[in-house]
Amino acid sequence: MQLYNTLSAEERAELIDQAGKQRLTLSFYAYAKIENPQQFRNDLFLAWNALDALGRTYVAKEGINAQMSVPAENIEAFRQTLEAYDFMKGIRLNVAVEHDDHSFLKLTVKVRDKIVADGLNDETFDVTNIGVHLKAKEFNQILEDPDTIVVDFRNHYESEIGHFKGAITPDVETFRESLPIINEQLKDHKDDKKLVMYCTGGIRCEKASAYFKHQGFKNVYQLEGGIINYAKQIKEEGLESKFIGKNFVFDHRLGERITDDIVSQCHQCGKPCDNHTNCENEGCHLLFIQCDDCKAVMENCCSVECQEIIHMPLDEQVKLRRGVINGNKIFRKGKSDKLKFKHSGELSDLPLATAAKETPIRQKIKVKKMLLGKVEHYYVKAQVGLFVIENGDLKTGDTILISGPTTGNETLTISEMQVNGTASTVANLGDKVTIVLPFRTRLSDKIFKIIE
């Protein structure tokens, strides 16, 4: 009985490409009393694994919180696995505005103490006494009321690239931090103001609205289904979007565009930009906003120090990381002093630029390809790349695709190569191959062979 992943992310990505089938990215949550979270977790994993469903899910005695990627053809069967449980009958699935077949590449279902780390003692208040749910049209209307205070219950790196106009955007790194801050900031308006809250998919507001009602706020409202559902409704109903910019999402995409407004800046040069990236240095992996120009110059790194590290031999990089605890540093370091144009806290509603029209995010399978291996090293002075054949074989005359987050997609036909240090026309499984390249490669790059 398989209760864990057996494929790597790279292997899974290759299988998805070969299948060439559309996948849907979606999220959902439900609060309920679950007696045996571990058994519940195991049952879900078995059912979802059979449907080729991927994603990240947390289950606890209080319920379930999930972000998933599901083959479009299996969506109804997936819904049936949820509605087999009474508390998920008729559950709302928040389907993403944009889809990417690679949004998730593993199926992870974990048992946690809570499905959202809110830091609250649920025994001290009625968690079912929640605020009034508002659909997109109602939400737009209440925002026009001068007695409304709208609060963003997401973190600084989320609100920076997009938020509702006029919203309070707490300068926090975690959801739990925002609760006491907002309670103190709005303590004098518990009776005379409407407290309206929103988050990505609605789950954070579900608990927060009950907490603030317990704290004495008389008029508490929440955006039903969060920004994801709001974006869907304004599109379907032709409503004005009061949200500007991008909605940050916790998968490979790191954001989906709601409006064409760019409200944030590249953290390195200040150019209008709202594309998040992770520092190429595995010992840092900082989440920050980086434009294409800085991406090219800095080689996907957040600082000169990290750029120097990625050129070190791999064993030296590993030594530098040894004993260093990363933890949540990926998001928290978004406030590094090295990022001159990072903004958080009180944010402007004025757009800095208009986003260019993008090609639909769903990946179209234009060519068939087979994963050969990954880059092992790049010798800058010689402009030579080294990689190991981990699958199949390679011959002179073959066309390869080198693909990575910074390199992009580069194709090259092999005219000559060195195999295990000697000129050769064929490389087989386990061989080390070096080839002259007209572009720089990185350790995160994958090598594919184009199949005619």
Side-chain angles (χ1 to χ4, degrees), residues 78-122:
F78 178 77
R79 182 182 286 278
Q80 290 175 17
T81 68
L82 306 180
E83 296 193 344
Y85 302 90
D86 289 341
F87 72 89
M88 287 195 285
K89 288 189 181 298
I91 192 169
R92 180 186 63 249
L93 300 181
N94 284 333
V95 179
V97 177
E98 301 172 329
H99 297 287
D100 183 341
D101 293 342
H102 294 176
S103 59
F104 290 100
L105 295 174
K106 289 187 178 182
L107 175 58
T108 303
V109 186
K110 294 184 178 181
V111 176
R112 292 283 180 86
D113 291 333
K114 287 195 170 189
I115 55 177
V116 174
D118 51 37
L120 298 173
N121 181 356
D122 295 355

Side-chain angles (χ1 to χ4, degrees), residues 289-355:
I289 298 174
Q290 188 178 48
C291 69
D292 290 341
D293 290 340
C294 288
K295 185 183 288 288
V297 172
M298 298 298 296
E299 299 179 283
N300 221 58
C301 292
C302 70
S303 65
V304 173
E305 291 85 350
C306 284
Q307 191 174 18
E308 291 173 348
I309 289 173
I310 67 169
H311 291 295
M312 293 179 178
L314 186 57
D315 59 340
E316 290 188 28
Q317 294 186 43
V318 172
K319 286 180 182 178
L320 286 176
R321 297 199 296 267
R322 193 166 294 152
V324 177
I325 300 174
N326 253 351
N328 286 330
K329 186 169 64 175
I330 291 172
F331 295 133
R332 292 180 179 176
K333 277 190 63 183
K335 293 185 180 181
S336 167
D337 293 337
K338 296 181 177 65
L339 304 177
K340 299 178 181 179
F341 296 93
K342 163 70 182 175
H343 298 290
S344 56
E346 188 173 343
L347 301 173
S348 172
D349 293 339
L350 298 176
L352 301 175
T354 300

